[in-house]
């Protein structure tokens, strides 16, 4: 599928190029209001494009230059809506049979197909239940079965796991990944949860305020975030600076780095590479400065400590270190980062 | 709010208000000639009026549904210039004196009316002073109740159910028939019942447009009027009681949807 989507909706100006290959899952990751759902609705033909094209398997579904527009009901695009949106007045079986019925199958045939899909998602025993009687995980599988029963070429999933509670989510996420891989078509998953995006997708596209700020594999995103939002998602410190070979001017500080060339660069420091000390450390670290503890967030065995100063950074230290260093908000602390732990790449 | 906290004056005025509403009803029940009720209801004049009222009010409710549901759907779903004006026009009979409605209907559907002259000339259809005319008059007054309820129902329905149906391959009419209609049906039934109840009690527009001809246009409210005019108070009371029972029945039947939980 190749799409160039340009939609204006209220304050949002969505402008995205999206390509999805056969048997590939692309995750669209972004904060609320970034335009993720609008993008899905535009692909499904539920929101008109202001400008752009949508091409699926060589068939033009929409082209604003020619005025071509294939209505939603004739696109081979399945949608799993957020909160599933199962029809409350129909049984689970009738929900899944809805698509085949609309596509011309006789009632008995549609019901047989729906039964087969329910068996595939392991819910044969719930065929007669109403949508409201299902658990979140079950409703999600029914929504998937309902979409897949139409045999779409492209499957769109909008926050597929958001309606589930935290305890069941990991298991359902693994299960969903397996089912998505089993269905051979193209998949687009929209989510605000980086964990979900990375677990479900082969390739990620980060959307902010209607624009793609970065796309790539999970590894590319983690090692080379290109925006504060992405850096925040993957949990690293990201700065923008001016490089002069082995020095990078970042905010109020000169960082010593391995050779970085010249010009504008992005600088990534992993929180685990940020060391904290009570007094000025001696020896190897080339980058040392004095800061003040702002917050200490315990996360299991480790704590994330935000330190303000000439450069505001997040350090990740053990809970024991928090005790030994007597780290508390407002207290002074020395920050040290080895030159070799500073990654620099072109902005 | 707890009763203890309510000021005495407010309670007194509240009691006055409810008395004002309840006393006439109490008077009606008090003066009902209970021993003669069955005889009155067996009177052919009365049974004719009852039957006619049933036919006309159900017919009017049907017309209101057939015309009102599509209109409500358009008002709820289609964004077009002048939508507010169209809605206002559709709701005018709510505030229009029924007799004015009757006059207006005469000017539109009367033998020399805007549309009526063509109906007469081309199709030989004359509506004034006929049973279909009575149905038309009742439908005119009753339809806003259906439109207002149905539009709210369509508006309150989560659009994504319809979107989901479309992505599953349902065309516009299939979406309406298999998703929109079943999901809004309870509200549409409420609207139809309200419209029917309004049609059943219709007097002003009916007598103005359809006249008062026994067995053709004399529905219960018109018969009540005739009986009073003829000095037959008992007959008027019994027929009024019938309408009162139906009204209370509708109120009780719809209490959860119309009166809230308290």
């Amino acid at each position: 599928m190749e799409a160039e989507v340009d939609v204006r909706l209220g304050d949002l100006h969505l402008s995205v190029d999206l390509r999805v290959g056969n048997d590939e899952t692309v995750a669209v990751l972004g904060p609320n209001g970034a335009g993720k759902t609008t993008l899905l609705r535009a692909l499904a033909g539920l929101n008109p494009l202001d400008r752009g094209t949508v091409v699926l398997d060589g068939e033009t579904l929409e082209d604003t230059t020619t005025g071509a527009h294939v209505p939603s009901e004739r696109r081979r695009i399945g949608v799993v809506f957020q909160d599933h949106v199962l029809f409350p007045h129909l049984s689970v079986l009738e929900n899944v049979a809805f698509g085949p019925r609309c596509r011309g199958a006789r009632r008995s045939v549609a019901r047989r197909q729906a039964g087969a899909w329910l068996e595939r998602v392991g819910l044969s025993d719930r065929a007669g239940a109403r949508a409201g009687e299902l658990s979140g995980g079950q409703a999600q599988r029914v929504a998937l079965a309902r979409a897949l029963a139409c045999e779409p070429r492209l499957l769109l999933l909008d926050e597929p796991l958001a309606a589930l509670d935290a305890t069941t989510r990991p298991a359902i996420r693994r299960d969903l990944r397996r089912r998505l891989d089993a269905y051979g078509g193209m998949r687009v998953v929209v989510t605000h949860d980086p964990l979900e995006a990375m677990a479900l997708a082969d390739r990620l596209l980060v959307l902010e305020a209607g624009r793609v700020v970065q796309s790539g594999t999970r590894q590319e995103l983690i090692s080379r975030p290109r925006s504060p939002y992405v850096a925040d998602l993957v949990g690293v410190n990201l700065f923008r600076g001016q490089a002069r070979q082995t020095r990078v001017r970042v905010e109020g500080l000169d960082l010593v780095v391995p050779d970085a060339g010249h010009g504008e660069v992005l600088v990534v420091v992993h929180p685990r590479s940020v060391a904290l000390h009570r007094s000025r450390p001696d020896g190897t670290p080339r980058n040392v400065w004095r800061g003040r503890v702002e917050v200490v967030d315990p996360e299991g065995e480790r704590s994330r400590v935000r330190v303000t100063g000439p450069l505001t950074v997040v350090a990740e230290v053990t809970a024991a270190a928090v005790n030994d260093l007597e780290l508390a908000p407002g207290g002074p602390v020395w920050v040290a980062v080895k030159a070799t732990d500073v990654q620099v790449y072109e902005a | 709010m707890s009763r203890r906290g309510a000021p005495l004056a407010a309670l007194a005025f509240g009691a006055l208000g409810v008395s004002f509403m309840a006393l006439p009803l109490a008077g009606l029940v008090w003066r009902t000639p209970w021993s003669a009720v069955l005889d009155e209801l067996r009177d052919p004049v009365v049974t004719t009026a009852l039957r006619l009222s049933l036919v006309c009010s159900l017919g009017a409710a049907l017309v209101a549904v057939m015309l009102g549901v599509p209109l409500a759907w358009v008002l709820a779903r289609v964004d077009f210039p002048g939508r507010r004006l169209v809605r206002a026009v559709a709701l005018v009979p709510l505030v229009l004196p029924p007799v004015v409605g009757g006059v207006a209907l005469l000017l539109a559907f009367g033998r020399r009316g805007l549309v009526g002259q063509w109906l007469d000339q081309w199709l030989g259809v004359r509506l004034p002073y006929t049973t279909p005319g009575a149905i038309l008059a009742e439908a005119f007054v009753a339809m806003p109740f259906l439109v207002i309820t149905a539009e709210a129902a369509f508006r309150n329905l989560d659009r994504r159910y319809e979107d989901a149906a479309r992505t599953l391959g349902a065309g516009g009419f299939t979406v309406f028939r298999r998703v929109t209609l079943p999901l809004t049906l309870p509200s549409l039934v409420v609207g139809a019942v309200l419209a029917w109840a309004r049609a059943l009690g219709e007097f002003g527009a009916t007598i103005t447009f359809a006249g008062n001809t026994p067995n053709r246009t004399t529905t219960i409210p018109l018969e009540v009027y005739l009986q009073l005019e003829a000095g037959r108070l008992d007959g008027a009371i019994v027929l009024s009681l019938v309408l009162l029972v139906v009204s209370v029945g509708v109120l009780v039947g719809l209490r959860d949807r119309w009166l809230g939980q308290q």
Side-chain angles (χ1 to χ4, degrees):
Chain A
M1 197 250 348
E2 302 90 45
E4 286 172 40
V5 173
D6 202 295
V7 178
R8 281 172 197 276
L9 203 70
D11 288 339
L12 176 72
H13 179 196
L14 179 71
S15 181
V16 173
D17 286 7
L18 178 65
R19 263 156 226 286
V20 188
N22 251 328
D23 203 13
E24 183 190 29
T25 305
V26 173
V28 177
L29 182 62
N32 288 333
K36 306 186 298 288
T37 298
T38 308
L39 174 64
L40 282 201
R41 292 180 60 87
L43 295 177
L46 295 170
N47 278 10
L49 299 185
D50 287 317
R51 229 156 21 82
T53 55
V54 179
V55 178
L56 180 64
D57 278 339
E59 186 196 359
T60 301
L61 298 181
E62 190 144 5
D63 186 344
T64 51
T65 56
T66 63
H69 176 84
V70 176
S72 297
E73 59 267 28
R74 291 214 299 274
R75 298 186 179 197
R76 295 195 60 196
I77 297 180
V79 183
V80 175
F81 288 82
Q82 187 170 4
D83 315 322
H84 321 312
V85 194
L86 297 178
F87 301 128
H89 60 297
L90 300 178
S91 71
V92 164
L93 186 77
E94 289 165 332
N95 262 279
V96 181
F98 192 97
R101 275 292 275 161
C102 289
R103 283 165 207 274
R106 299 209 352 236
R107 186 185 296 270
S108 57
V109 176
R111 291 176 77 89
R112 206 164 47 237
Q113 285 176 357
W117 275 105
L118 283 180
E119 203 175 318
R120 234 173 286 185
V121 297
L123 285 173
S124 297
D125 54 327
R126 303 296 276 149
R130 296 269 148 178
E133 299 163 8
L134 300 177
S135 72
Q138 288 174 339
Q140 203 249 344
R141 271 139 73 198
V142 173
L144 186 66
R146 183 176 70 169
L148 290 180
C150 295
E151 295 174 355
R153 286 291 298 132
L154 169 66
L155 183 66
L156 308 174
L157 300 101
D158 192 355
E159 303 275 5
L161 303 170
L164 308 174
D165 56 64
T167 51
T168 56
R169 202 176 293 162
I172 293 174
R173 190 169 55 218
R174 283 193 298 277
D175 181 68
L176 180 62
R177 168 89 209 205
R178 200 164 48 74
R179 292 184 198 290
L180 291 182
D181 288 346
Y183 150 74
M186 307 166 230
R187 284 98 49 175
V188 176
V189 181
V190 145
T191 175
H192 69 279
D193 179 355
L195 210 62
E196 194 173 310
M198 290 176 185
L200 294 176
D202 312 309
R203 199 152 57 80
L204 292 93
L205 200 113
V206 182
L207 202 63
E208 267 184 87
R211 304 296 159 126
V212 177
V213 292
Q214 188 164 4
S215 69
T217 63
R218 156 199 178 137
Q219 205 45 51
E220 283 168 344
L221 252 67
I222 291 175
S223 59
R224 299 197 153 190
R226 301 204 68 86
S227 80
Y229 172 71
V230 180
D232 207 39
L233 284 181
V234 300
V236 299
N237 296 294
L238 175 75
F239 312 105
R240 189 172 281 270
Q242 287 291 331
R244 278 173 291 110
Q245 279 170 348
T246 60
R247 285 179 178 272
V248 180
R249 182 82 187 163
V250 181
E251 293 175 31
L253 204 69
D254 266 337
L255 284 179
V256 179
V257 301
D259 189 17
H262 285 272
E264 193 157 342
V265 290
L266 290 170
V267 178
V268 162
V269 179
H270 197 279
R272 289 185 194 213
S273 307
V274 180
L276 301 181
H277 303 271
R278 287 181 73 178
S279 53
R280 190 186 173 89
D282 312 314
T284 47
R286 300 294 304 277
N287 299 298
V288 176
W289 68 89
R290 227 174 121 85
R292 206 166 271 283
V293 175
E294 192 179 66
V295 278
V296 180
D297 280 326
E299 283 179 7
E301 289 294 292
R302 304 181 74 85
S303 289
R304 287 172 76 85
V305 182
R306 193 175 156 86
V307 181
T308 57
L311 194 60
T312 297
V313 289
V314 174
E316 194 179 311
V317 297
T318 60
V322 173
N323 269 334
D324 293 347
L325 297 168
E326 295 170 16
L327 295 177
V333 70
W334 284 90
V335 181
V337 178
K338 289 181 193 166
T340 50
D341 283 338
V342 180
Q343 293 167 58
V344 181
Y345 48 94
E346 249 177 86
Chain B
M1 195 204 265
S2 76
R3 215 175 45 189
R4 247 182 321 165
L8 217 59
L11 286 180
F13 276 108
L16 199 63
V18 78
S19 310
F20 176 63
M21 307 309 284
L23 277 175
L25 303 182
L28 188 65
V29 174
W30 175 61
R31 280 301 307 274
T32 299
W34 292 105
S35 53
V37 164
L38 278 181
D39 286 339
E40 288 287 348
L41 286 177
R42 280 201 207 99
D43 183 337
V45 173
V46 171
T47 53
T48 302
L50 282 171
R51 191 186 46 77
L52 193 63
S53 255
L54 209 59
V55 168
C56 288
S57 59
L58 286 176
L62 191 68
V63 170
V65 167
M66 302 293 278
L67 296 178
V69 169
L71 173 61
W73 190 88
V74 169
L75 284 175
R77 286 299 153 78
V78 187
D79 199 3
F80 60 94
R83 176 161 64 171
R84 292 162 67 95
L85 185 71
V86 169
R87 183 183 294 122
V89 168
L91 300 186
V92 158
L94 277 183
V95 290
L96 193 73
V99 62
V100 176
V103 172
L105 282 169
L106 270 178
L107 296 179
F109 298 105
R111 280 184 60 188
R112 279 190 285 280
L114 217 51
V115 181
Q117 54 180 314
W118 304 114
L119 285 177
D120 190 6
Q121 219 168 317
W122 292 347
L123 305 171
V125 174
R126 291 179 194 174
L127 287 171
Y129 314 112
T130 64
T131 306
I135 293 176
L136 193 73
E138 292 184 1
F140 177 78
V141 173
M143 202 168 96
F145 289 87
L146 191 278
V147 172
I148 237 176
T149 318
E151 191 193 340
F154 292 139
R155 245 176 225 290
N156 291 336
L157 179 66
D158 187 342
R159 292 290 294 270
R160 295 184 309 155
Y161 289 120
E162 291 161 322
D163 292 339
R166 288 186 61 200
T167 65
L168 294 170
F173 186 66
T174 308
V175 172
F176 183 76
R177 188 174 58 82
R178 293 207 54 201
V179 177
T180 316
L181 202 55
L183 287 178
T184 52
L185 194 62
S187 298
L188 298 184
V189 168
V190 168
V193 170
L194 287 173
W196 172 74
R198 178 67 188 88
L200 190 66
E202 217 299 304
F203 179 82
T206 312
I207 201 167
T208 313
F209 181 63
N212 198 349
T213 319
N215 205 21
R216 289 241 303 267
T217 67
T218 304
T219 55
I220 304 178
L222 273 61
E223 185 59 39
V224 169
Y225 174 74
L226 284 182
Q227 301 259 343
L228 273 180
E229 287 282 280
R232 297 193 62 247
L233 187 60
D234 283 1
I237 290 175
V238 169
L239 281 171
S240 299
L241 200 67
V242 169
L243 289 181
L244 178 65
V245 167
V246 171
S247 309
V248 171
V250 168
L251 205 57
V252 169
L254 301 183
R255 65 190 184 284
D256 290 339
R257 300 192 148 262
W258 211 244
L259 298 179
Q261 296 302 308
Q262 294 295 305

